[in-house]
């Protein structure tokens, strides 16, 4: 399986720098290269360090921040890191709120911010994309070209981490994961060698990069396929929460997941609560890949008598406008925690009533559990608690498989919901207590799903991985993958990183 990996040059070879075993990366890069290195007093350092989704990551202080502009410069930095044992991190957009995943305390941080190129072939739609781009920047750069990138849903998200985790998109039912469209990577391996994994060159590494996280080196370019797109339809519906609203919206998202047949349509259904119930709402994200959705596309959310609609911003707009509009969800200065679970939906072909099962599982089960736990957090200063139900119809898994193999290897055997759980709060001193609340929240959902499967209320043989882009650091990402994917990730990591430079000195899940 790894024959092509073994052809990568210099694997396992200790670099010539190895005499400086206790070297300081920041000083070595500054003294011996022309690469931009910033210190804690520099404006560039301060701006980059505060630009995380979670203030807990910003509170970690790297010894310096390095801003390479090419694969060659990244390679030079990685070779210097091979001469010492410093902890380090690589940052694209800083979307993951997990401490140490793209942040570091006391070691160097490699920022990909200067790797912000986007070069599009206007005839084929093939683009070279740097990991320093955020999704709203990509939307703006592609504006007017007639092509679009299969990216995430929040404009501020960095493209690098998104695609290394897979990347769930409004367009996933058409094109699979964001990573599914990557044709070739430019990758700096843990020893500093630059390689170009594709379906024909190092194919095991190519697959492992699609859902394998930061374990295999630093991606400095994504060569990917973009797709034709004109105006889109999108925006938010906001409802004041009532028990009836809960029931009707949850049933609507269940039905949309199973019965929607238009791959151009997508929804995210989010419930949000703020301190002392000052906010208790549903916020729905609607998307259609075209200027006007067919009349019945979103009817379950707009015309089935759901009470309490107070805002509707959905309209025809550019994709770039939609990406920019989404950035209201980023809460600057807050400590943020994100976790996830994957839930199979009760099928309409179930021997029991689908509506009754939907109410029992989604409304009385999962959603009531979330409300019960989140209620206990409402006195925490600045608290914002949310749960998002994101349809993962079997069509997404089929589309991903049709494009390319990936480490997630989702099965098109059942319709599912990917649930995203968020807690945001102001006081760093509340982190330990909120960690317990988060574990109780996602752990309770997992326990309920397993119990329903044992009772036959949900199919028991459905593969339910943890979605990396929303995973909490305590969740077992690699342990929830299929055994073949786990084995592939471990073998590839050992092959490209025999000295453990990335496996032992960066954060994140390790195979």
């Amino acid at each position: 399986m790894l024959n092509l990996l073994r052809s990568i040059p210099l694997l396992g070879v200790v670099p010539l720098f190895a005499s400086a075993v206790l070297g300081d990366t920041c000083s070595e890069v500054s003294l011996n290269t022309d690469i931009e290195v910033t210190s804690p007093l520099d404006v560039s350092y301060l701006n980059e360090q505060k630009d995380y989704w979670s203030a807990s990551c910003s509170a970690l202080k790297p010894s310096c921040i390095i801003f390479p502009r090419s694969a060659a410069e990244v390679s030079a930095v990685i070779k210097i890191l091979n001469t010492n044992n410093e902890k380090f991190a690589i940052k694209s957009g800083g979307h993951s709120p997990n401490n140490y995943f793209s942040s570091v305390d006391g070691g160097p941080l490699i920022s990909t911010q200067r790797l912000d190129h986007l070069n599009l072939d206007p005839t084929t739609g093939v683009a070279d994309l740097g990991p320093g781009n955020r999704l709203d920047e990509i939307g703006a750069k592609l504006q007017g070209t007639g092509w679009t990138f299969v990216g995430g849903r929040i404009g501020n998200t960095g493209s690098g981490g998104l695609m290394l985790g897979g990347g769930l998109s409004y367009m996933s039912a058409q094109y699979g994961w964001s990573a599914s469209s990557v044709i070739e990577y430019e990758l700096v391996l843990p020893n500093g060698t630059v390689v170009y994994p594709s379906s024909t060159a190092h194919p095991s590494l190519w697959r492992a990069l699609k859902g394998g996280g930061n374990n295999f080196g630093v991606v400095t370019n994504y060569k990917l396929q973009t797709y034709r797109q004109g105006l889109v339809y999108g925006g938010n519906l906001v409802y004041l929460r009532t028990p009836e609203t809960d029931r009707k919206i949850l049933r609507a998202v269940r039905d949309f997941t199973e019965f929607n047949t238009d791959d151009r349509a997508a929804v995210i259904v989010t419930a949000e609560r703020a301190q002392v119930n000052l906010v208790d709402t549903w916020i729905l994200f609607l998307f259609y890949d075209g200027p006007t959705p067919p009349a019945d596309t979103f009817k379950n959310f707009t015309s089935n008598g759901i009470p309490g609609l107070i805002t509707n911003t959905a309209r025809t707009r550019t994709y770039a406008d939609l990406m920019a509009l989404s950035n209201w969800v980023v809460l600057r200065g807050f400590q943020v925690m994100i976790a996830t679970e994957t839930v199979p939906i009760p099928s309409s072909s179930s021997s029991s009533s689908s509506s009754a099962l939907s109410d029992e599982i989604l409304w009385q089960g999962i959603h009531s559990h979330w409300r019960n736990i989140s209620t206990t957090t409402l006195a925490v200063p600045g608290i914002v608690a949310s749960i998002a139900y994101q349809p993962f119809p079997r069509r997404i898994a089929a589309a991903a498989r049709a494009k390319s193999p990936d480490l997630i290897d989702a099965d098109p055997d059942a319709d599912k919901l990917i649930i995203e759980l968020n807690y945001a709060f102001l006081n760093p001193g509340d982190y330990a207590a909120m960690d317990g609340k988060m574990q109780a929240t996602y752990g309770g959902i997992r326990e309920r799903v397993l119990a329903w499967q044992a009772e036959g209320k949900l199919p028991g043989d459905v593969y339910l991985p943890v979605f990396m882009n929303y995973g909490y650091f305590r969740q077992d990402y690699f342990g929830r993958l299929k055994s073949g994917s786990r084995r592939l990730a471990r073998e590839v990591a050992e092959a490209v990183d025999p000295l453990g430079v990335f496996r032992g000195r960066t954060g994140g899940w390790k195979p």
Side-chain angles (χ1 to χ4, degrees):
M1 178 169 56
L2 297 180
N3 287 338
L4 286 175
L5 275 177
R6 294 193 181 101
S7 68
I8 297 172
L10 301 179
L11 287 182
V13 177
V14 179
L16 295 178
F17 296 94
S19 59
V21 175
L22 299 179
D24 166 33
T25 301
C26 298
S27 298
E28 291 287 332
V29 175
S30 181
L31 291 171
N32 298 316
T33 77
D34 294 325
I35 301 169
E36 180 182 357
V37 180
T38 62
S39 72
L41 296 180
D42 294 327
V43 172
S44 295
Y45 176 106
L46 296 172
N47 288 337
E48 182 71 5
Q49 186 57 18
K50 71 181 181 182
D51 200 6
Y52 283 96
W53 277 40
S54 178
S56 65
C57 296
S58 294
L60 302 173
K61 303 302 182 186
S63 51
C64 68
I65 301 180
I66 303 170
F67 294 91
R69 295 179 179 273
S70 66
E73 290 194 349
V74 172
S75 173
V77 176
I78 296 301
K79 287 178 179 178
I80 290 172
L81 279 164
N82 270 261
T83 70
N84 59 54
N85 59 2
E86 290 183 306
K87 297 285 187 180
F88 65 98
I90 300 97
K91 180 190 176 191
S92 173
H95 167 264
S96 173
N98 292 316
N99 295 336
Y100 303 105
F101 277 41
S102 61
S103 53
V104 64
D105 197 29
L109 175 67
I110 301 171
S111 169
T112 64
Q113 185 185 106
R114 307 289 192 258
L115 295 165
D116 61 349
H117 58 275
L118 197 168
N119 302 313
L120 173 72
D121 183 325
T123 302
T124 64
V126 173
D128 288 298
L129 175 71
N133 285 285
R134 296 176 187 266
L135 302 188
D136 51 7
E137 295 170 339
I138 297 171
K141 290 174 181 179
L142 291 177
Q143 176 76 0
T145 66
W147 297 93
T148 192
F149 162 65
V150 182
R153 283 74 58 88
I154 307 301
N156 188 257
T157 304
S159 59
L162 175 83
M163 286 188 284
L164 290 175
L168 191 59
S169 171
Y170 284 132
M171 293 168 279
S172 284
Q174 298 179 80
Y175 310 118
W177 306 108
S178 299
S180 301
S181 293
V182 179
I183 301 166
E184 179 186 88
Y185 298 86
E186 181 179 67
L187 176 71
V188 180
L189 291 172
N191 67 357
T193 303
V194 181
V195 294
Y196 297 87
S198 68
S199 61
T200 57
H202 320 306
S204 295
L205 179 55
W206 181 63
R207 178 183 173 187
L209 286 164
K210 301 186 179 198
N214 66 343
N215 290 291
F216 314 108
V218 182
V219 177
T220 51
N221 184 70
Y222 296 88
K223 184 179 292 293
L224 51 84
Q225 182 65 56
T226 63
Y227 302 93
R228 289 292 185 185
Q229 186 184 72
L231 293 173
V232 302
Y233 176 88
N236 300 114
L237 304 181
V238 181
Y239 292 88
L240 290 176
R241 183 264 170 185
T242 69
E244 182 183 6
T245 308
D246 289 351
R247 181 176 60 83
K248 287 190 171 182
I249 287 180
L250 289 166
R251 187 172 294 175
V253 72
R254 193 226 76 85
D255 289 347
F256 183 90
T257 304
E258 182 174 7
F259 298 121
N260 172 59
T261 59
D262 191 337
D263 291 343
R264 295 172 294 174
V267 299
I268 306 174
V269 173
T270 303
E272 187 163 300
R273 311 179 72 182
Q275 190 172 10
V276 199
N277 277 327
L278 292 176
V279 173
D280 200 353
T281 60
W282 284 92
I283 304 175
L284 279 57
F285 297 74
L286 306 184
F287 174 83
Y288 191 78
D289 190 4
T292 307
D296 292 341
T297 303
F298 301 116
K299 67 179 181 180
N300 284 350
F301 301 102
T302 58
S303 60
N304 70 343
I306 300 174
L309 179 65
I310 57 174
T311 302
N312 183 351
T313 67
R315 62 174 176 83
T316 302
R317 58 178 85 234
T318 65
Y319 188 68
D321 178 49
L322 184 67
M323 285 292 97
L325 176 72
S326 65
N327 284 333
W328 62 265
V329 306
V330 183
L331 299 175
R332 299 294 184 187
F334 282 69
Q335 322 297 315
V336 178
M337 296 175 171
I338 301 178
T340 186
E341 265 305 333
T342 308
V343 179
I345 65 170
S347 170
S348 60
S349 62
S350 169
S351 58
S352 302
S353 164
S354 176
S355 295
L357 271 178
S358 295
D359 285 351
E360 177 184 349
I361 290 172
L362 294 181
W363 180 36
Q364 300 165 15
I366 292 173
H367 200 69
S368 291
H369 165 70
W370 171 76
R371 287 193 65 86
N372 289 339
I373 299 295
S374 61
T375 295
T376 68
T377 72
L378 293 180
V380 174
I383 190 70
V384 178
S386 67
I387 182 170
Y389 299 87
Q390 306 191 38
F392 194 85
R394 61 190 73 201
R395 173 61 188 146
I396 293 179
R401 287 189 169 195
K403 288 289 180 186
S404 70
D406 58 65
L407 207 62
I408 306 163
D409 197 21
D411 290 331
D413 59 345
D415 298 310
K416 311 172 189 72
L417 291 169
I418 292 180
I419 294 178
E420 179 187 357
L421 303 157
N422 287 261
Y423 287 116
F425 49 97
L426 288 172
N427 185 359
D430 290 322
Y431 202 95
M434 289 305 302
D435 172 51
K437 298 295 185 184
M438 179 58 91
Q439 292 183 67
T441 306
Y442 70 77
I445 294 174
R446 177 67 171 165
E447 291 168 3
R448 284 163 171 78
V449 169
L450 294 175
W452 288 320
Q453 289 180 313
E455 294 166 7
K457 294 176 179 178
L458 291 176
D461 57 351
V462 176
Y463 166 53
L464 301 173
V466 169
F467 179 43
M468 177 180 278
N469 294 122
Y470 299 155
Y472 192 53
F473 72 97
R474 295 190 186 279
Q475 295 184 281
D476 187 5
Y477 173 74
F478 283 103
R480 293 273 293 272
L481 293 178
K482 294 176 181 177
S483 59
S485 292
R486 291 197 303 272
R487 183 170 58 253
L488 175 73
R490 183 173 59 254
E491 291 177 350
V492 172
E494 290 173 351
V496 302
D497 189 18
L499 301 180
V501 176
F502 277 64
R503 289 183 292 140
R505 293 163 56 187
T506 62
W509 295 284
K510 303 302 175 187

